[in-house]
Amino acid sequence: MILDLQHIYKDYQQEKLVVPVLKDVSLQVEEGEYVAIMGPSGSGKTTLMNIIGCLDRPTSGTFELAGENILKYKDKDMSNVRLKSIGFVFQSFHLLPRQSALDNVALPLSYAGIKKKERRERATRALERVGLGDRVSFKPTQLSGGQKQRVAIARAMVNNPKILLADEPTGALDQKSGKQIMELFEKLNEEGVTIVMITHDRAIASHAKRVVNIIDGEITEEGAKEVQDE
């Protein structure tokens, strides 16, 4: 079991009001799975993603990542978990505009204290893995939207994380580029990468092998069949 969340609640305080966002959410993801968490805006999916990604803590509940009780960690230790165990892919890429594709991909390795030669070798391999071996010296301004997202995916994968966490990964892309990114995710999953993808798009969610629906902070149903048959 790579992810095990049990009875997760998340509340936010707004002045004197307590606003519940997640309500008794339980979710398990096996190693090598490809899961989409789908829900409309305001459903709680981003809050759930932030908890899975160790960017936020639940109000109550338990959360284990690869058998480790994540909630016992202090903030500094949570940062190390994010660095070593979770690869993030965002809708807006978050690339450094003045750095080459290679330097962008190598960035997590520099945080991890990897020496420069090994950083460059591993970053080059990661770019080759996503089909950009001929774009290592290009800066983001020289790349298409789809290529930027491939750089972001290479950066997310360069540390060999336990989970690839993707937040609306095709949201800023045209239909053709989005289809190519989904094909890349399928290829990575076939290679054994565990993927958890957040989306509001039914067509994008259908690429996953399992779909979890979240509405008003509650998981309502699971399984890709319901999404594809509607």
Side-chain angles (χ1 to χ4, degrees):
M1 187 71 60
I2 198 81
L3 267 184
D4 189 3
L5 295 96
Q6 295 293 331
H7 307 296
I8 295 290
Y9 288 81
K10 181 65 179 181
D11 302 330
Y12 288 104
Q13 192 84 26
Q14 288 187 350
E15 297 179 355
K16 293 182 180 180
L17 286 175
V18 175
V19 180
V21 179
L22 296 179
K23 308 162 191 173
D24 198 18
V25 168
S26 294
L27 175 67
Q28 293 181 314
V29 177
E30 297 282 356
E31 188 172 355
E33 270 202 281
Y34 182 1
V35 179
I37 298 173
M38 190 178 78
S41 179
S43 62
K45 65 183 185 298
T46 299
T47 300
L48 181 57
M49 185 204 75
N50 287 340
I51 290 171
I52 293 171
C54 301
L55 296 164
D56 197 2
R57 296 174 184 268
T59 304
S60 63
T62 63
F63 172 26
E64 291 188 356
L65 175 62
E68 288 288 316
N69 177 6
I70 294 301
L71 301 182
K72 72 180 181 183
Y73 290 157
K74 295 179 180 177
D75 288 348
K76 183 180 178 183
D77 297 322
M78 292 274 268
S79 179
N80 286 331
V81 170
R82 288 196 300 273
L83 179 64
K84 295 176 181 177
S85 298
I86 303 168
F88 292 92
V89 178
F90 298 101
Q91 176 177 336
S92 52
F93 319 132
H94 292 323
L95 300 178
L96 298 174
R98 296 182 181 178
Q99 301 293 324
S100 68
L102 185 73
D103 289 337
N104 268 285
V105 173
L107 197 59
L109 300 175
S110 65
Y111 292 146
I114 306 297
K115 292 182 178 178
K116 186 174 181 179
K117 183 182 178 187
E118 186 180 346
R119 288 203 306 263
R120 295 182 69 83
E121 289 172 352
R122 285 171 62 175
T124 299
R125 287 199 299 272
L127 283 165
E128 288 170 348
R129 190 177 183 186
V130 300
L132 289 180
D134 59 345
R135 296 287 191 274
V136 293
S137 62
F138 283 49
K139 293 182 179 177
T141 53
Q142 298 171 297
L143 299 172
S144 68
Q147 289 170 336
K148 289 177 189 175
Q149 193 61 295
R150 285 173 182 267
V151 172
I153 293 167
R155 180 185 57 194
M157 295 301 304
V158 75
N159 256 340
N160 295 314
K162 292 182 173 69
I163 294 177
L164 183 63
L165 191 56
D167 183 16
E168 302 281 6
T170 63
L173 303 177
D174 61 60
Q175 191 171 6
K176 181 181 177 183
S177 298
K179 183 172 182 285
Q180 291 170 344
I181 293 300
M182 286 297 96
E183 289 170 354
L184 176 57
F185 275 5
E186 288 170 17
K187 173 175 171 283
L188 291 171
N189 180 242
E190 286 168 4
E191 293 172 3
V193 177
T194 305
I195 301 173
V196 177
M197 178 173 64
I198 310 297
T199 184
H200 70 280
D201 189 324
R202 193 171 298 278
I204 294 299
S206 70
H207 288 270
K209 292 179 180 172
R210 177 160 69 105
V211 178
V212 175
N213 289 279
I214 184 167
I215 296 174
D216 293 332
E218 297 179 85
I219 287 178
T220 58
E221 58 188 33
E222 296 190 30
K225 193 173 188 303
E226 293 93 331
V227 170
Q228 291 167 346
D229 284 356
E230 285 183 8

